[in-house]
Amino acid sequence: MGKKLTLLVLRLLMNLLLISWISLWIIKPTVLWIQSWRQAEDTFKHTFFGYYGLSFAVFSLPPIALSIIGLIYLSLLPQHHRLTGGGRRAAIVTVSRPAIISSFIGIVSCFEIIAIILFLVFLAWTFYIRVNNDLKKLMPLKTMNLDLWQLKYFRVATRFGLLAEACLSLLLFPVLRGLSMFRLLNIQFAASVKYHVWLGTGLIFFSLVHGGSTLFIWSISHHIEEEIWKWQRTGRVYVAGVISLVTGLLMWITSLPQIRRKCFETFYYTHHLYIVFLVSFLFHAGDRHFYWILPGVFLFGLDKTLRIVQSRSESCVISARLYSCKAVELVLPKDPRLNYLPSSFIFVNIPSISQFQWHPFSITSSSSVDKHTMSVMMKCEGKWTDSVYKKVEEAAISDTKINNITIRVEGPYGPSSVDFLRYDTLFLVAGGIGITPFLNILQELACENRFKSPRTVQLVFSVRTFQDINMLLPVSHILFHPIHNLNLTIKVFVTQEKKHSNGPTTLKEYLAQSQVQTIHVGTDEDFSRFQILGHESFGRLATLVLITVLTFLGLLIGLSHFFIPNEHKKHSNSMKLAASGAMTTGKEKVPSWVPDLVIIVAYVIAMTIGGLTATILQWRRLHRETKRMTKEEVNPQGSNFTESTPNVPIEEHGIHIGERPKFEEILSEFETSLRGWSSIGVLVCGPESMKEAVASICRQRFQCFGVDDSRTINNKVNLNFHSLNFSL
């Protein structure tokens, strides 16, 4: 009862912080807020806390505090809530149903449409209030002689910068991994990345209008050479704005799908220009505007630091499987207490191939079954994955130990709860290497002692060639030795080959003839020395964030008092000057770039301290785990399923050769086979065209906010679409 009350209080605090931060953004452009904030500045600048501490506490602290409380909430969340989602299915599935399906923007849910509309309304509100106030108090610029239309256009262009600032303030939240707040909404990293793309596109658009229009006004007024290189003592630093615009545009161009897929290295390395972009933005916009975007920058910097600390630990490959379909499965040692949920993934780096490239891969093994190992499978179709295949192949041929191949792992990352376990039935659709998350899911479903899980599952697996069927081998023990209470049927579609006259006819025969080379390497010592520990617990992550934010706040206030005149010591003199209207603040007595440097120095030192603290915690954890592993007997084998009398005849695992799956017919047939009311979780992982096709079928059967009663299905079923992602 006490834990439930604590969780309730934490949820209320998170909602309060979120509402407060959103409310600040809404009232920010109003005259009432501007006047109130100036009064607050005048009050706090005479205190030890100062203007800078006040700005950080009001503008930056709420999202960071939300992250800390969210991590504490996740650390206290009971295990069965993570496995069943805590009973929120009705609300989640309603807003997660696909509403827009387009090859250009992909699949957009009702929840995402609502969020986009609200964000656009907020941008329109901010722009209207700011421009309206500017035009009412239009004053000519002292440095430029502009016509009335030029002056109005210049003011409007300036306010487009505020819209870019709003996009930038949210830009980095979707790409957080260990500190991701989207985990509280059960939105995984692979799904939230598209929000980063949308916000980045909006940022570049508004920045181009802002910067391009400003340059246009300078050009027609013949002031461009004078203004663009000006690094004035106070006010905007325009050359920094130009640098920020150019680097942002370069990152956006190289992130376009046409370039990213063909030249991933170019995309990866140019995206590290975000450091130049953010520093340039700080010098251009000033510290007042930077405090609004600081929460995302702060959490991203700490998240990146923690990932670097974790990735410094090296592991090895215990064993590997080489598939004839040019796929390779790597088995890695892990801490037996490291648990992860289905559809989780890790980032992998192999220094002997590339020191800097990290690639995400879905975990194919289940932590409920494999306590000591973790497996990933990759289809070797790119330059990096092809190098991995060749390296393992060479090790197999030369009989070299695979554990000489050093590997670094970051993660695992995954959902905070598994929503699909709450459905009565699952309809799984996989295309090619998109089968990898379902290998994990099937093993999890086959595990005993599950609180609640679907017992009727149909898997539709579409591949190009017969050899691709080999990727089902990791779950062959489930396919042909059915597990207790698991009703599993599989339909395999081979799209680009024809049936051989003397070839196998059943799925079991195809898998029996699979050409797979298994290489067993590794000792008990490897399990203790190179085990993957995973990231820190949610409780420790919350502590690390708290330590880092307190360090930053202390440094911010301390450095500000040291480098910027301290007003509270001259309070009596300032009151006299204020009466005569000649008062100046400490901030106005120093160049505008000094407060910017204070923020940078405080940020770098705080991140360094956070990284050192994380390093110490990881070293102690590794040392403790190594001692424990040497005392225990390591048994990497073993499973946790219960075999029973088959519920589903093996003949139902059908193979269809030379044809593509007709999802509407298959789904209708599957629905008809169900008896009584059933909620169906539809999970898809594969090419975008496959996801869009299945999402369209689900949308046709249901309206966005309820069941479409016009459908002609005898059984009462409830379809719920989910899209999974996999590494390419």
Side-chain angles (χ1 to χ4, degrees):
M1 187 65 183
K3 181 175 287 189
K4 289 184 178 180
L5 181 60
T6 303
L7 291 173
L8 178 60
V9 172
L10 292 176
R11 283 200 297 267
L12 291 175
L13 284 175
M14 288 189 290
N15 291 331
L16 180 61
L17 286 170
L18 182 60
I19 293 172
S20 301
W21 198 55
I22 294 175
S23 300
L24 281 177
W25 276 97
I26 294 175
I27 65 175
K28 175 187 173 184
T30 62
V31 176
L32 176 62
W33 168 258
I34 294 173
Q35 294 175 348
S36 301
W37 181 247
R38 287 175 180 172
Q39 293 176 1
E41 285 182 344
D42 292 337
T43 302
F44 275 86
K45 71 184 178 184
H46 304 299
T47 65
F48 176 79
F49 203 56
Y51 156 76
Y52 306 97
L54 175 66
S55 298
F56 179 81
V58 174
F59 303 142
S60 305
L61 192 56
I64 299 175
L66 176 62
S67 175
I68 295 173
I69 296 175
L71 290 169
I72 297 174
Y73 176 84
L74 291 173
S75 68
L76 297 176
L77 199 65
Q79 182 68 18
H80 72 273
H81 275 251
R82 299 183 187 181
L83 293 173
T84 62
R88 299 170 299 162
R89 183 178 69 187
I92 292 175
V93 299
T94 299
V95 296
S96 64
R97 288 175 182 157
I100 297 178
I101 302 170
S102 169
S103 58
F104 179 68
I105 60 174
I107 302 170
V108 183
S109 67
C110 297
F111 170 79
E112 291 165 345
I113 290 178
I114 294 172
I116 291 171
I117 292 175
L118 291 176
F119 186 66
L120 292 177
V121 169
F122 160 74
L123 293 180
W125 157 260
T126 300
F127 186 74
Y128 169 77
I129 294 296
R130 289 292 192 179
V131 171
N132 188 52
N133 292 337
D134 287 346
L135 296 183
K136 285 181 179 179
K137 303 176 181 179
L138 198 61
M139 298 291 291
L141 298 176
K142 297 180 181 179
T143 57
M144 291 185 290
N145 186 19
L146 300 179
D147 296 336
L148 181 60
W149 75 269
Q150 295 173 346
L151 184 58
K152 289 183 177 180
Y153 183 64
F154 185 77
R155 293 300 186 191
V156 171
T158 301
R159 293 311 178 187
F160 269 99
L162 293 178
L163 305 186
E165 177 187 319
C167 294
L168 181 57
S169 66
L170 302 176
L171 181 68
L172 297 176
F173 287 114
V175 290
L176 297 177
R177 297 179 191 173
L179 303 179
S180 176
M181 288 187 285
F182 282 91
R183 188 188 288 112
L184 297 170
L185 300 175
N186 208 28
I187 299 176
Q188 295 193 53
F189 170 80
S192 66
V193 166
K194 67 179 179 182
Y195 308 144
H196 175 76
V197 175
W198 294 349
L199 289 167
T201 302
L203 168 64
I204 295 302
F205 172 76
F206 294 130
S207 298
L208 281 174
V209 175
H210 168 69
S213 300
T214 303
L215 294 174
F216 171 71
I217 293 297
W218 287 347
S219 299
I220 62 176
S221 61
H222 307 289
H223 289 87
I224 187 168
E225 294 183 0
E226 175 186 349
E227 295 290 338
I228 197 171
W229 301 112
K230 185 184 295 183
W231 191 291
Q232 59 270 40
R233 180 180 174 84
T234 59
R236 301 286 184 266
V237 180
Y238 295 123
V239 65
V242 174
I243 295 173
S244 181
L245 178 61
V246 172
T247 53
L249 190 61
L250 181 61
M251 286 190 291
W252 181 77
I253 291 174
T254 54
S255 66
L256 294 174
Q258 297 83 351
I259 298 177
R260 186 184 72 248
R261 291 170 183 168
K262 294 181 180 180
C263 306
F264 179 82
E265 291 82 0
T266 303
F267 155 76
Y268 179 79
Y269 293 124
T270 55
H271 240 59
H272 284 78
L273 290 173
Y274 70 85
I275 300 175
V276 178
F277 174 82
L278 292 173
V279 172
S280 300
F281 175 86
L282 172 59
F283 282 110
H284 172 65
D287 62 308
R288 290 178 180 268
H289 290 272
F290 194 78
Y291 282 113
W292 288 96
I293 72 165
L294 184 57
V297 176
F298 181 89
L299 291 175
F300 177 80
L302 183 57
D303 187 75
K304 182 76 172 178
T305 302
L306 297 179
R307 282 153 41 197
I308 292 173
V309 170
Q310 184 194 3
S311 62
R312 289 179 68 251
S313 299
E314 296 181 345
S315 184
C316 67
V317 179
I318 295 299
S319 63
R321 271 180 165 182
L322 294 175
Y323 294 82
S324 57
C325 60
K326 200 74 182 297
V328 60
E329 181 182 11
L330 303 179
V331 181
L332 314 174
K334 79 171 184 70
D335 180 2
R337 293 182 295 181
L338 173 60
N339 297 315
Y340 46 84
L341 296 178
S343 73
S344 297
F345 64 96
I346 59 175
F347 283 83
V348 172
N349 167 260
I350 300 180
S352 59
I353 297 177
S354 174
Q355 285 283 347
F356 304 105
Q357 287 192 43
W358 290 81
H359 295 266
F361 296 99
S362 299
I363 302 176
T364 58
S365 59
S366 169
S367 60
S368 301
V369 177
D370 301 312
K371 295 295 185 181
H372 295 275
T373 60
M374 174 190 298
S375 303
V376 294
M377 183 185 294
M378 57 188 76
K379 191 72 179 291
C380 304
E381 296 178 339
K383 182 179 178 181
W384 189 88
T385 51
D386 191 56
S387 299
V388 175
Y389 189 91
K390 290 179 179 178
K391 200 167 192 65
V392 176
E393 191 176 36
E394 290 172 1
I397 295 174
S398 61
D399 204 20
T400 304
K401 285 190 175 182
I402 295 183
N403 59 6
N404 291 331
I405 302 178
T406 301
I407 189 170
R408 295 171 180 168
V409 173
E410 180 190 312
Y413 303 109
S416 60
S417 63
V418 186
D419 291 325
F420 64 80
L421 287 179
R422 298 170 304 180
Y423 297 120
D424 304 312
T425 307
L426 285 182
F427 185 80
L428 313 178
V429 180
I433 193 61
I435 191 65
T436 50
F438 296 135
L439 300 178
N440 184 323
I441 289 173
L442 290 176
Q443 294 180 70
E444 193 73 23
L445 293 176
C447 183
E448 62 181 2
N449 299 325
R450 180 63 55 221
F451 291 98
K452 181 184 183 301
S453 62
R455 291 307 174 189
T456 302
V457 180
Q458 176 154 317
L459 170 64
V460 179
F461 185 30
S462 178
V463 295
R464 295 178 181 177
T465 65
F466 291 113
Q467 292 181 337
D468 292 335
I469 301 177
N470 297 350
M471 289 185 285
L472 288 174
L473 278 174
V475 291
S476 59
H477 55 281
I478 299 175
L479 304 183
F480 306 114
H481 300 86
I483 309 303
H484 179 64
N485 287 335
L486 181 61
N487 236 340
L488 174 64
T489 57
I490 298 179
K491 294 181 183 293
V492 179
F493 290 83
V494 182
T495 60
Q496 296 184 4
E497 287 194 15
K498 297 181 179 179
K499 186 175 181 180
H500 303 293
S501 56
N502 298 325
T505 57
T506 65
L507 179 61
K508 188 174 184 178
E509 292 176 353
Y510 276 107
L511 292 179
Q513 295 184 8
S514 298
Q515 298 179 4
V516 178
Q517 184 178 6
T518 303
I519 308 158
H520 293 285
V521 181
T523 62
D524 291 350
E525 183 182 357
D526 296 329
F527 280 93
S528 59
R529 288 180 55 201
F530 300 105
Q531 61 180 344
I532 298 169
L533 299 179
H535 48 70
E536 294 289 347
S537 64
F538 292 128
R540 287 193 174 184
L541 287 177
T543 304
L544 284 170
V545 177
L546 181 61
I547 292 173
T548 309
V549 72
L550 291 178
T551 302
F552 176 81
L553 182 58
L555 288 169
L556 180 67
I557 296 175
L559 292 175
S560 298
H561 278 282
F562 184 80
F563 288 103
I564 302 172
N566 204 341
E567 284 295 320
H568 78 280
K569 294 181 180 179
K570 304 178 181 179
H571 182 55
S572 58
N573 293 333
S574 65
M575 293 298 292
K576 297 177 181 179
L577 290 173
S580 62
M583 189 184 77
T584 59
T585 66
K587 188 175 184 298
E588 293 170 345
K589 296 178 182 179
V590 298
S592 59
W593 49 265
V594 172
D596 303 339
L597 283 178
V598 167
I599 292 177
I600 293 175
V601 173
Y603 180 86
V604 172
I605 296 176
M607 291 300 137
T608 303
I609 292 177
L612 289 174
T613 306
T615 302
I616 294 172
L617 289 176
Q618 188 188 48
W619 179 84
R620 292 182 59 185
R621 185 181 174 198
L622 181 62
H623 181 69
R624 184 172 60 251
E625 291 301 320
T626 302
K627 290 178 63 177
R628 185 184 62 82
M629 289 292 291
T630 55
K631 296 179 181 180
E632 296 180 2
E633 181 182 356
V634 178
N635 179 23
Q637 306 298 325
S639 58
N640 196 28
F641 349 101
T642 304
E643 294 186 7
S644 65
T645 305
N647 293 323
V648 180
I650 294 177
E651 291 76 24
E652 292 194 21
H653 298 332
I655 289 187
H656 305 266
I657 302 171
E659 60 178 293
R660 296 182 179 275
K662 299 177 181 178
F663 296 114
E664 188 165 6
E665 294 182 5
I666 299 172
L667 188 54
S668 297
E669 180 183 345
F670 182 59
E671 291 172 345
T672 305
S673 65
L674 300 175
R675 297 179 180 179
W677 190 92
S678 179
S679 61
I680 303 178
V682 181
L683 281 68
V684 186
C685 187
E688 291 300 322
S689 58
M690 175 181 287
K691 295 179 182 178
E692 293 165 8
V694 178
S696 298
I697 296 171
C698 294
R699 187 182 61 176
Q700 289 171 6
R701 282 169 161 74
F702 288 86
Q703 298 175 350
C704 187
F705 290 100
V707 179
D708 184 0
D709 295 328
S710 63
R711 55 190 171 88
T712 56
I713 300 178
N714 295 326
N715 294 320
K716 294 181 179 180
V717 296
N718 185 10
L719 289 177
N720 303 282
F721 177 83
H722 297 267
S723 174
L724 301 181
N725 294 276
F726 61 97
S727 65
L728 293 174

